[in-house]
Structure formats: C-alpha cells, structure tokens
Amino acid sequence: MSIQAVVRVCWRPVLAVLAGVALAAAFPPIGLAFLAPLAVAAITVVAVTSRARGAIGLTVLSGLVFFLILMKWMSNIGLDAWVALGIFCGVWFWVVGLGTWAVRKLPAWPLWVAAVWVLQEALRDRIPWGGYAWGRLAFSQGNAPDVGYAALAGAPLVTFVVAVCGALVAYPVLVRWWPDAVAHRSDGRAWPIAAGVLAVTLWFAGLLVPLPTEGQTDSGPATVTVAVVQGSVPQIGFDAVPARRAVLDNHVAATLALASEVAAKAVPAPQLVIWPENSSDLDPFRATDAATAISSAADAIGVPILVGAVTVDPKNRNQVLNIGLVWQPATGPGDYYVKRHPVPFGEYLPGRQLLSRVISRFQRIPYDFTAGDAAGVLQVGPARLGDVICFEVADDAIVTDAVLGGGRALTVQTNNATFTDTGWGGSAQPEQQFAMAVLRAVEHGRTIMVAATSGVSAIIAPDGTIVDEAPMFAQDELVATIALRDSLTLADHLRGWPELLLALAGALAVGRGLLPRLRRPQAVRPLPEPDGK
C-alpha cells in the first residue's frame, strides 16, 4: 500500500485522536482554552467528511481520548473506575457525531453544529442518575475571553459560542477541500474568510460583557471579611478518606493559628470562617470530642464557622448526610445545608447489593448519602451565603438556586484529596473544578470562596478575578474583604431556558437533516479526498 493510500485511510482516525488530545489540553492543568474551538473544528471536519456510521464512530473516538486524558485522576480510585467513567462520558459523543453529520447540509449549519454540542452536554449532564457534567466545553473557558458570555446565559451559551467558533473555523477548510460536503455560499471567496474572522471576533467579544466588581447594600452590608481555611490532609489519594480525626484536627489547628494571627493584628479579623467539605467526617452531633474540637476553634476565632460535616441522617439511621453546618461560637451547631446531588458510585451505589459483591472496593462505601431537597442558602454571621458542595459546582440548577434563594456570595466546600497526588498532573481534578468556580463567579456576578481540604482553595471576585489562592497540599488561611451582591445577572433571570432552547434547536435540526434521508434511502458515496481522487 502506498503512502498516499495509507494517508487516505488513516487521516480521519488520526485527526479524531488529535482532536481529543487538544480538547483535553484546553482544560487544566494545561489550560490552553483556545484549543477547545480548534478541537471542535477538527471533530467537525472528521464528522462532515465521513459517512454517518463513520461520523459517529470517529467522534466517539475523540470523546474517549478526551475523557480518558481529562479524568486521569480517577485512576487514583482504580484503573477500572477510570476506564469505565471515561467510556461512559466518551460514548455520549455519538450525539455530536450523528448531529454534525445530519445538519451539515442545512443553511447556517455552524449554528446547528453548536446547538448539537449543547444537546449532547444537556443529555450527558442528566442521564443516568443525575448525569455527569465534567468536561463541558464551557468549563475549559474560565481564563478565556469568551467566559463573559456566562453572565448572559450561563454555561450553555459559553459552550455554544465555543462550538460555533469551532464550526466556523472548519467552514473554510470544508469549502476549500470538500465543497460538496456542506451547505455554503458559492458566489465568491469572501465567505470562508468572513467565517474565520467571525470566529475570532465572536470569541473575543465576550470581553465586552460588563462584569460587576463592587458590593451592594440592598439587603445588607456591601462587604464582609472572610477567612477560608485549608487545613490539608495527612494522606492523599484513596487513603485520605479514613484519616478523619487528623483532618478535623488540622482544620482546628489552622483556625487556632488564624486566631493567634488576628490577636497579634497580623491579619484582619474575619467576620466568618469557611471550612471545606469533610473537614469533620466525625458526626459532631454524635461524637462529643469532634463537637468539642470544633467549638474550641469557633470560640477562639469568635465568629461562625461553616463546617463541612458528614452526619447520620436523622430520618434513616442507615444513611448519612453531606452537609454545610453553621457552627456558632458559644452556642455550637445551627442551620445546615444538605448536599442535593450526591455522586453515584462515590456517595451512593445504584444497585448496591449486586455491585458490592462484584467489586470489593465498593464495600468501602458502607452507607448511601441522602440527597437534600432545599437550596443551599445559609446565614453565616453578617453574610447570607449560597453553599454548594464539591461536584455540585458543575450543576447549573443547583448553583442558580443558591443565588435565586438569596445567596449574596457563594461558597464551594470541597474535598479533592481522594483524586489528588503529587505527580505531574496530580492536581488536575481540583484545578478543573476550580475553573468551574471561576465561570460560576462570572455567570452569577458573585464572589466565590472555594474551601478545599488539600487545594485548590481560593477567593474569586464577581468578575472572575482571583483575589487569593492557597498552594496545593499546604495548610493555609486566606483572609480577604469580599463583595456581597444582590443584583441578578441575565443568566440568573433566564435560568435553564437557554440550554433548553439551544438543545431543542439542536434536536430539531438533526431531525430536519435526517428526515429526507429516512424517507428516500439511497446509496451514499464516500466524499472525494482533498486531492480530488
């Protein structure tokens, strides 16, 4: 077989693999956000120039490569967990493959390609068991110019913009080499050039969206001084979970150290303190020593602490709750928020009886977490905070509910130690989650305080600017005066409607593209290669 024949056969699979690699590199820890639209462009070219089955198969190949690289941190749990989750997420790219192929002949097809990406994410984020939202295109854009679009219509619009830009980049390539593959204007060379210019312009136009920075006094003080405590953990990886008392002691010690610094006037006195998820895996309602330790920290600092705790469900003693608990000095525990979206196979086991017999590792998850049913809005000292816990930051509705419920700032309590190691890329999971928090700050115009056991802990301004950040694997306390806000962004007002409408548009466009072919089946000839042979 000649080299030319090998290239003709292999270029699509190779480009599909490279697209998956490029898309993964758009996310932290590499974080080259501009690679996301370029990856979409490559996937578009592969799908459009293939037959329907090839478009699906090659796009799924891109998805598998993308997710297996993106979520390498899942290998800390086990090789099987990493591969299974990567396959589950990657297979959803069949929607992109079929959808892109189906809409390629429709007028304005780059818009429909982008809507198909939104449709794929909307389905994957919900099916099954509440879905898995990791790896959305929008979550790669926390440090990119187009992140401003989040304030207009949330993460779905950012995904849409990234995908439109990618499809527009693919447009001149397809028109030049495969003019019969897509619908296009054939009355001159200006249209392909205009498509490229439009892609760049659209990506940078996100900088024009006005973003707030100042606090407001509509329903309380405009600012509050907060402290975010990162107590760190004695171990990382899967063995970080059992070290419950040591983790609690670390956060108590860090808070006592902060109290000493405040007494010495080395740092400003905070008006509230945020601890991360799992900072007390010992139930403070049942373990007297844990309650005493938390009270010692709250009494020393003299302000409320929002504690991330695991407690027994009072309605079902065989289940537990993952909560954000307000702990007052002198009086102790008060109001709390129960995590609404427990993670399947992490915090509860679908089909527990069967799976725990087949996979012994699941026996290390002895209890299922009960899901809460109310938005996470808590009064912590002078601030009314919206609280989300760990992976909930990826859930559009849960974060929006916390803002609409009255949260004047947001806090993300998280424990990423299980998925973290000290090797290259070992901080990928917390860095990827942190990028989501940056997008959420812009989306809702709210300060966000990320409190993590081992990192990344940070304070993010309402415009997405990083105010302060703690190093990974270190015990640290961040103290800053933050803005409290009441105004809602357009994204808050629109809630889930942009995603619904864009996903519906994508589904209808796919149906419109497939309908004529279903009615009049005919032999499909492969498209000619770029050299016309």
Side-chain angles (χ1 to χ4, degrees):
M1 182 180 291
S2 67
I3 294 178
Q4 190 177 35
V6 171
V7 171
R8 186 177 295 116
V9 171
C10 295
W11 75 267
R12 289 184 182 88
V14 170
L15 185 57
V17 169
L18 292 177
V21 173
L23 190 53
F27 290 76
I30 297 177
L32 299 177
F34 68 89
L35 290 178
L38 295 181
V40 172
I43 291 171
T44 301
V45 170
V46 168
V48 164
T49 61
S50 302
R51 298 186 182 187
R53 291 181 181 178
I56 294 172
L58 291 171
T59 306
V60 167
L61 176 61
S62 293
L64 293 174
V65 171
F66 164 51
F67 280 108
L68 287 171
I69 295 174
L70 181 75
M71 298 186 297
K72 169 63 170 60
W73 42 265
M74 271 298 293
S75 63
N76 284 8
I77 303 297
L79 179 63
D80 52 349
W82 171 38
V83 173
L85 186 59
I87 291 174
F88 165 77
C89 293
V91 166
W92 274 108
F93 270 42
W94 74 268
V95 177
V96 173
L98 177 62
T100 300
W101 183 87
V103 304
R104 70 196 192 283
K105 290 291 189 178
L106 299 181
W109 62 266
L111 296 178
W112 311 130
V113 168
V116 165
W117 278 89
V118 176
L119 173 63
Q120 176 265 143
E121 292 184 354
L123 294 173
R124 179 168 57 83
D125 295 355
R126 292 167 175 83
I127 303 172
W129 306 303
Y132 193 74
W134 218 266
R136 296 165 68 181
L137 292 180
F139 294 154
S140 68
Q141 302 298 296
N143 61 354
D146 59 342
V147 72
Y149 289 108
L152 302 180
L157 179 59
V158 180
T159 286
F160 182 80
V161 169
V162 172
V164 166
C165 291
L168 288 172
V169 170
Y171 180 89
V173 176
L174 292 167
V175 170
R176 171 63 179 85
W177 297 105
W178 295 274
D180 295 331
V182 292
H184 66 95
R185 293 288 296 268
S186 58
D187 54 355
R189 297 183 178 180
W191 288 101
I193 297 174
V197 172
L198 179 59
V200 175
T201 302
L202 186 61
W203 200 59
F204 280 98
L207 295 172
L208 301 178
V209 178
L211 302 176
T213 57
E214 301 298 324
Q216 297 172 314
T217 57
D218 296 7
S219 64
T223 61
V224 66
T225 301
V226 302
V228 174
V229 172
Q230 178 177 293
S232 196
V233 296
Q235 297 168 306
I236 55 178
F238 204 73
D239 291 330
V241 177
R244 298 181 296 175
R245 184 57 202 237
V247 173
L248 173 58
D249 288 343
N250 282 357
H251 286 84
V252 170
T255 306
L256 294 176
L258 174 63
S260 298
E261 294 177 19
V262 170
K265 301 187 183 305
V267 297
Q271 295 167 276
L272 59 96
V273 175
I274 309 295
W275 283 7
E277 177 191 29
N278 298 121
S279 48
S280 180
D281 270 359
L282 297 171
D283 184 348
F285 294 115
R286 299 165 66 86
T288 304
D289 57 338
T292 300
I294 298 171
S295 290
S296 69
D299 292 343
I301 197 66
V303 297
I305 301 175
L306 181 60
V307 179
V310 174
T311 67
V312 174
D313 184 352
K315 298 179 181 178
N316 184 346
R317 298 285 178 176
N318 294 320
Q319 295 188 315
V320 293
L321 305 175
N322 190 348
I323 67 173
L325 171 63
V326 180
W327 199 282
Q328 302 284 355
T331 60
D335 197 11
Y336 60 87
Y337 161 66
V338 180
K339 186 176 183 180
R340 295 169 60 189
H341 190 169
V343 180
F345 305 102
E347 293 175 315
Y348 75 96
L349 291 183
R352 167 178 289 278
Q353 291 184 349
L354 175 62
L355 286 176
S356 60
R357 293 175 185 173
V358 176
I359 303 176
S360 61
R361 190 187 309 112
F362 284 147
Q363 295 173 6
R364 300 181 72 174
I365 309 173
Y367 302 104
D368 287 335
F369 282 75
T370 303
D373 57 7
V377 182
L378 300 168
Q379 189 71 36
V380 188
R384 190 168 61 253
L385 301 181
D387 187 26
V388 297
I389 297 177
C390 199
F391 280 55
E392 288 185 326
V393 71
D395 192 311
D396 294 350
I398 287 178
V399 183
T400 300
D401 286 348
V403 172
L404 296 180
R408 306 186 70 217
L410 294 170
T411 180
V412 179
Q413 295 179 285
T414 186
N415 173 27
N416 299 316
T418 301
F419 306 108
T420 308
D421 60 53
T422 55
W424 186 90
S427 62
Q429 193 271 353
E431 290 178 1
Q432 289 164 12
Q433 191 178 70
F434 177 71
M436 300 179 197
V438 173
L439 181 138
R440 296 303 186 195
V442 174
E443 179 179 358
H444 301 288
R446 293 292 189 273
T447 302
I448 292 188
M449 296 156 284
V450 181
T453 50
S454 57
V456 177
S457 296
I459 298 173
I460 308 166
D463 62 353
T465 303
I466 311 303
V467 176
D468 201 359
E469 182 177 344
M472 291 287 299
F473 314 118
Q475 189 173 103
D476 201 3
E477 309 89 38
L478 308 176
V479 181
T481 298
I482 67 166
L484 299 176
R485 297 184 52 79
D486 297 284
S487 295
L488 301 177
T489 63
L490 181 58
D492 292 321
H493 287 292
L494 294 175
R495 301 198 64 170
W497 284 103
E499 182 181 47
L500 177 61
L501 294 176
L502 288 171
L504 182 60
L508 291 175
V510 172
R512 175 68 181 85
L514 291 178
L515 189 58
R517 294 170 177 81
L518 294 175
R519 285 179 174 176
R520 298 188 301 274
Q522 56 185 0
V524 179
R525 296 180 180 178
L527 292 166
E529 298 302 325
D531 59 5
K533 297 181 180 179

